[in-house]
Amino acid sequence: MWNWRYSKKFLLKIMAIVIAFTICFLIILNVFIWNTDVSKLENPVPQPTIIYDQAGSVASKISTSNIEGVSIKQIPSDLTNAVISTEDQRFNDHHGINYVGIARAMVKNLFSGGLVAGGSTITQQLAKNVFLTQERTYTRKFKELIFTKKIERTYSKDKIMERYLNQIYFGEGAWGIQRAAQVYFGKDVNKLTLSESAMLAGLIKAPSILSPFKNYDMAIQRRNIVLSLMKNEGYISQSDLEKAKQQTIVLKGKQTEDYKGKYPHYVDNIIDEAINKYHLTQNEVLSGGLRIYTELNPTMQDAVEEVYKSENMFPKSQPVQLIQSGAIFINPSTGGISALIGGRGEHSFRQFNRATQLKRQPGSIMKPLSVYTPALEQGYDIFDMLQDSPLNIDGYQPQNYDNQFRGSVSMYDAVIHSYNVSAVWLLQKMGLEHGGKAVERFGVTLEQKDYIPGLALGGMNKGTSPLQMAQAFSAFPNNGIMVEAHAIQRIENASGVTLEKWNKKESRVTEPSVAQKITFMLKGVVNEGTGVKAQIEGREIAGKTGTTQLPFSSQNGAKDHWFVGYTPQVVGAIWLGYDKTDQSHYLSSSSSGTATVIFKEILLKSGNEVPPKGFDLSLLGGNYIKQLEKKEKAKEEKRKQEKRKQEKRKQDNENQSGIKVPKSEENKRHEHKKNLKEIKNKNKENKDKKEKKGKNDKENKDKKENHG
């Protein structure tokens, strides 16, 4: 009995402590809620975010002030019911928090070992979009709870729905429900049909992916799901459901500015970097009145955009698809992205960026990373001889671009002429592991299945982007040190307080002597190899071309064209190709005549931003230059011998056939000189004869006079 009484008292004490703790917690929570300011919701129009260039000057302004706020009375009940059915089915019943949804999310998080799911209500989404970031932490969730409760105590359900629909992004540059109705259907929100309302409600989940302008069938499927949810919740009947499904969606889009300001491709990249790296929300970036200081070089960005507007700089596109391209330029010493462009044609808000998001096989631009850098690290040298004869590695038989074999070639010649067989042979000889690890050191992600002989030629399962390749090549002019590429220097709020700041991340990927040897060979690519069309008089440029094979049999043509070129101050990567390659859409020329020309033109238009400067090759000494000069003399002698042989063959043909073979221009010049010489000699001979005759006549006259 005593034990029972003792246990009862103990339990009562525990209960009292729990109750006291709960009361204290609720008091503290309510104090937080009471002191929380949500007046920002009164003004849905965002403040512009200002973008500064690398010199600290204003380069662009991001503004979504084209939001048109509408009252809840203008919004059809079908639309609000569709949003409730899709986003928060207990919206009208809870007080901001859906405890059932939270419990379900907690179970998911418990089994996953992290925060992977949430039970957000519409009020929570509103609080998160306006006041918080998207990071999944318990601190952020607690703040979300405070803001949510404050909003619920301050506004009615209709006002919360009104502010929510006026704040969110519906894709295609449309902020708020009124702009969404105009952008997609060319009408005001109060004129939306049930079918159109369901489609707009369905966009909230993933506006970029589900946009009917891009994926009409997917948008229709999503609309039908929303209609079914509305029927299940009792908002519409089965008859309404069937009629709405049968209604044809007519898109009469009204064009609207994505944001006010210059350099939309660069700004897209800034938004992505702010969200993915610094965990800001899109709303914060576009509407938060931020000050974002960047690495943007406006002169170079202007040059890139001007070149990409010129149709003459690109091959002629086939019907239906435009030949696409992406380009990026970075400073090798700082990693700062000076300029970029994500595609050709009309720009749309946060469109697919082919400079940063593309994944394509890189072709031969992979060779310096996967083959020649690790080979130099293992003791091979620039003028060492490599095998260039038929190769069969378990059925894999690489071919050179001209289907010829040369027996053996120097590493230098293999690089500048982009021979394939010698590169595969060298990678196989030194080991796939060395090549693959070198590629990963350069920041290019590989899968285990990429460790194949074809890696020498850029064979990858998923591929890489111009950004990754430009960052990798930046190690060569920077003496083997690779700095992480980035666009943002720092982010400040409207009051000037620094919110985020870039911290320099660099790594040594190879030794300075190896980096300089690679630059020595890549200079040869531009001076006398496949990259000659990137030459600029008075400038030292190094680079590598790359071309990938078509996925179907064709004698001529390519899927991708690449060029990564650099000077001591800037590294640029260019990609060309169709988004969808098929037998009607592929590149018929070679990368040496497309990507190289684009690179050259951008540098020329950049002017003094990239002044002439020589590469630092001080660690190589004069021996390599002497070998190169010796090689050039041997080439010149070989050309002369070939020329003499051709002339002899022509002469032999002339003698045998009795038909004179047309003389070469040089032979004509030589014969002309010979004729002139003969004429001079003949004139001199005649002159001498005349003078001698005159002398003899005078002597005879004198003799006669003396005789007389």
Side-chain angles (χ1 to χ4, degrees):
M1 182 64 70
W2 183 87
N3 288 336
W4 180 81
R5 287 179 180 174
Y6 179 79
S7 299
K8 188 175 180 181
K9 288 180 180 180
F10 181 75
L11 289 173
L12 287 172
K13 287 181 179 179
I14 294 297
M15 289 177 64
I17 292 171
V18 170
I19 292 170
F21 177 81
T22 303
I23 292 172
C24 290
F25 174 77
L26 291 174
I27 291 172
I28 294 171
L29 180 65
N30 279 276
V31 169
F32 275 113
I33 295 171
W34 180 267
N35 291 309
T36 298
D37 181 17
V38 293
S39 60
K40 190 176 179 180
L41 290 173
E42 297 296 331
N43 183 14
V45 179
Q47 298 181 49
T49 287
I50 300 176
I51 305 297
Y52 295 88
D53 63 27
Q54 60 183 216
S57 301
V58 175
S60 184
K61 289 184 180 181
I62 307 174
S63 174
T64 54
S65 57
N66 56 3
I67 285 180
E68 293 181 24
V70 291
S71 71
I72 193 67
K73 294 178 181 179
Q74 296 173 272
I75 302 173
S77 58
D78 283 337
L79 179 57
T80 56
N81 292 336
V83 173
I84 290 171
S85 301
T86 309
E87 298 296 315
D88 185 2
Q89 295 170 358
R90 299 188 66 248
F91 174 71
N92 290 314
D93 300 323
H94 61 64
H95 298 287
I97 306 295
N98 183 355
Y99 296 103
V100 175
I102 290 176
R104 189 185 306 116
M106 287 180 67
V107 172
K108 279 188 179 181
N109 293 334
L110 183 63
F111 282 103
S112 67
L115 284 172
V116 298
S120 294
T121 63
I122 285 175
T123 314
Q124 285 176 279
Q125 290 180 44
L126 177 61
K128 181 171 58 179
N129 288 340
V130 177
F131 301 107
L132 302 169
T133 69
Q134 298 285 356
E135 62 180 339
R136 293 182 178 273
T137 63
Y138 288 107
T139 301
R140 201 272 292 162
K141 292 298 287 184
F142 179 73
K143 290 179 181 178
E144 184 182 301
L145 171 66
I146 301 296
F147 278 110
T148 299
K149 284 296 184 181
K150 181 67 173 182
I151 292 170
E152 284 281 341
R153 294 180 186 182
T154 306
Y155 300 100
S156 67
K157 289 291 185 180
D158 282 348
K159 288 297 182 183
I160 292 171
M161 178 62 74
E162 176 186 295
R163 281 154 176 75
Y164 175 73
L165 291 176
N166 281 324
Q167 285 281 348
I168 57 176
Y169 181 61
F170 286 89
E172 302 296 334
W175 290 88
I177 190 62
Q178 171 71 351
R179 297 301 291 175
Q182 292 173 342
V183 166
Y184 289 104
F185 307 117
K187 61 174 70 172
D188 290 332
V189 65
N190 61 343
K191 295 179 181 178
L192 291 174
T193 65
L194 170 60
S195 180
E196 292 167 343
S197 296
M199 177 169 282
L200 291 181
L203 292 177
I204 296 173
K205 180 180 180 180
S208 296
I209 297 173
L210 296 172
S211 167
F213 289 125
K214 299 174 184 175
N215 298 299
Y216 184 81
D217 293 339
M218 192 180 294
I220 291 295
Q221 291 175 10
R222 178 66 179 165
R223 178 205 65 179
N224 293 342
I225 291 173
V226 174
L227 289 170
S228 297
L229 290 171
M230 293 179 71
K231 191 261 179 186
N232 293 340
E233 293 299 312
Y235 292 117
I236 60 173
S237 65
Q238 183 65 36
S239 175
D240 294 332
L241 172 66
E242 296 301 329
K243 287 179 183 178
K245 281 186 176 181
Q246 291 173 7
Q247 181 185 344
T248 302
I249 293 290
V250 180
L251 299 174
K252 296 180 180 179
K254 178 181 177 183
Q255 292 297 324
T256 180
E257 291 184 3
D258 299 331
Y259 35 65
K260 295 179 179 178
K262 297 175 67 177
Y263 313 131
H265 293 271
Y266 199 99
V267 172
D268 278 351
N269 185 63
I270 291 170
I271 296 171
D272 289 340
E273 193 170 305
I275 291 172
N276 298 324
K277 187 170 183 178
Y278 297 111
H279 309 297
L280 300 178
T281 66
Q282 182 171 276
N283 273 356
E284 284 179 303
V285 179
L286 297 180
S287 313
L290 303 178
R291 304 292 182 262
I292 303 180
Y293 294 83
T294 74
E295 300 283 358
L296 171 69
N297 183 317
T299 302
M300 185 166 284
Q301 183 68 31
D302 284 334
V304 172
E305 293 187 8
E306 184 179 346
V307 169
Y308 270 68
K309 286 177 183 176
S310 173
E311 294 289 335
N312 296 331
M313 295 303 302
F314 297 87
K316 185 178 179 181
S317 301
Q318 295 301 311
V320 182
Q321 283 195 69
L322 179 70
I323 290 179
Q324 275 299 346
S325 181
I328 188 166
F329 289 79
I330 67 175
N331 184 320
S333 61
T334 67
I337 299 174
S338 302
L340 67 80
I341 193 162
R344 298 177 65 207
E346 186 178 349
H347 173 269
S348 61
F349 178 67
R350 293 191 71 186
Q351 68 177 34
F352 179 70
N353 193 321
R354 296 168 187 85
T356 60
Q357 298 171 331
L358 182 82
K359 293 292 181 184
R360 289 291 187 102
Q361 291 190 346
S364 291
I365 62 170
M366 181 64 86
K367 290 174 183 175
L369 312 182
S370 63
V371 179
Y372 297 115
T373 292
L376 292 170
E377 290 171 344
Q378 289 192 23
Y380 286 90
D381 214 342
I382 292 175
F383 292 101
D384 286 351
M385 301 305 292
L386 311 178
Q387 182 177 312
D388 184 31
S389 55
L391 198 61
N392 189 325
I393 305 172
D394 297 329
Y396 175 62
Q397 301 180 48
Q399 297 290 325
N400 291 320
Y401 67 92
D402 58 358
N403 295 316
Q404 301 293 318
F405 298 100
R406 293 157 184 82
S408 63
V409 293
S410 69
M411 182 186 292
Y412 182 84
D413 282 334
V415 172
I416 69 170
H417 297 300
S418 200
Y419 295 142
N420 293 333
V421 177
S422 51
V424 176
W425 173 83
L426 182 55
L427 176 60
Q428 191 71 7
K429 186 171 183 181
M430 69 181 175
L432 287 171
E433 192 72 16
H434 291 286
K437 293 300 181 186
V439 172
E440 292 186 308
R441 282 205 316 270
F442 280 99
V444 180
T445 305
L446 295 182
E447 299 178 352
Q448 191 57 44
K449 60 181 71 174
D450 292 329
Y451 280 75
I452 55 174
L455 180 63
L457 312 181
M460 298 174 66
N461 185 46
K462 290 185 178 179
T464 186
S465 67
L467 170 61
Q468 282 191 323
M469 298 311 292
Q471 178 179 273
F473 272 66
S474 70
F476 299 134
N478 203 32
N479 274 331
I481 295 176
M482 184 179 72
V483 185
E484 181 187 42
H486 63 285
I488 297 174
Q489 292 181 3
R490 71 182 186 278
I491 302 173
E492 297 178 356
N493 64 16
S495 302
V497 177
T498 300
L499 303 177
E500 302 290 347
K501 188 176 181 180
W502 180 72
N503 295 313
K504 189 174 183 180
K505 294 181 181 178
E506 63 180 27
S507 59
R508 175 165 292 285
V509 294
T510 192
E511 293 303 311
S513 60
V514 172
Q516 291 187 16
K517 287 179 180 180
I518 292 291
T519 294
F520 179 86
M521 292 190 287
L522 296 186
K523 274 183 62 181
V525 172
V526 176
N527 290 339
E528 55 178 318
T530 57
V532 290
K533 290 188 177 180
Q535 286 182 12
I536 298 177
E537 187 177 354
R539 302 279 187 95
E540 285 200 6
I541 298 174
K544 185 72 189 75
T545 57
T547 304
T548 65
Q549 292 182 338
L550 292 169
F552 49 85
S553 58
S554 175
Q555 291 186 353
N556 297 306
K559 182 180 180 183
D560 307 282
H561 285 176
W562 290 86
F563 181 69
V564 183
Y566 60 92
T567 71
Q569 309 101 314
V570 69
V571 181
I574 314 289
W575 168 85
L576 279 86
Y578 283 101
D579 285 338
K580 294 181 180 179
T581 303
D582 55 39
Q583 294 187 345
S584 299
H585 300 91
Y586 61 88
L587 301 171
S588 57
S589 55
S590 68
S591 58
S592 61
T594 57
T596 52
V597 177
I598 294 170
F599 176 87
K600 173 183 178 179
E601 194 67 18
I602 290 171
L603 284 195
L604 286 173
K605 290 185 180 298
S606 297
N608 293 331
E609 296 300 313
V610 189
K613 184 180 179 181
F615 287 108
D616 176 15
L617 302 179
S618 57
L619 299 178
L620 301 189
N623 186 43
Y624 293 100
I625 303 297
K626 290 179 181 178
Q627 290 193 58
L628 190 58
E629 290 174 349
K630 183 179 178 182
K631 175 177 169 293
E632 286 301 315
K633 287 181 181 179
K635 277 187 177 180
E636 183 62 28
E637 183 59 33
K638 188 176 181 180
R639 282 194 292 267
K640 288 180 179 179
Q641 289 178 0
E642 184 62 31
K643 187 176 179 181
R644 286 194 290 268
K645 287 180 181 179
Q646 289 178 358
E647 290 176 353
K648 188 175 184 306
R649 282 195 295 268
K650 286 180 181 179
Q651 188 64 42
D652 291 342
N653 291 336
E654 183 179 338
N655 293 337
Q656 290 177 7
S657 62
I659 300 173
K660 290 188 177 182
V661 179
K663 296 180 176 64
S664 66
E665 288 299 321
E666 190 170 341
N667 285 342
K668 287 178 181 179
R669 287 196 298 270
H670 179 71
E671 188 172 309
H672 181 63
K673 288 180 180 179
K674 184 178 178 182
N675 291 337
L676 288 174
K677 189 174 181 180
E678 288 177 354
I679 290 170
K680 286 181 179 179
N681 291 337
K682 192 170 183 180
N683 289 339
K684 186 179 180 182
E685 185 179 339
N686 291 335
K687 185 179 180 182
D688 291 342
K689 285 181 179 180
K690 191 174 181 181
E691 288 177 353
K692 187 175 181 181
K693 185 174 183 283
K695 187 178 180 181
N696 290 336
D697 290 344
K698 186 179 180 182
E699 288 178 355
N700 291 333
K701 185 179 179 181
D702 291 341
K703 283 180 181 180
K704 285 180 180 180
E705 288 176 354
N706 292 331
H707 182 70

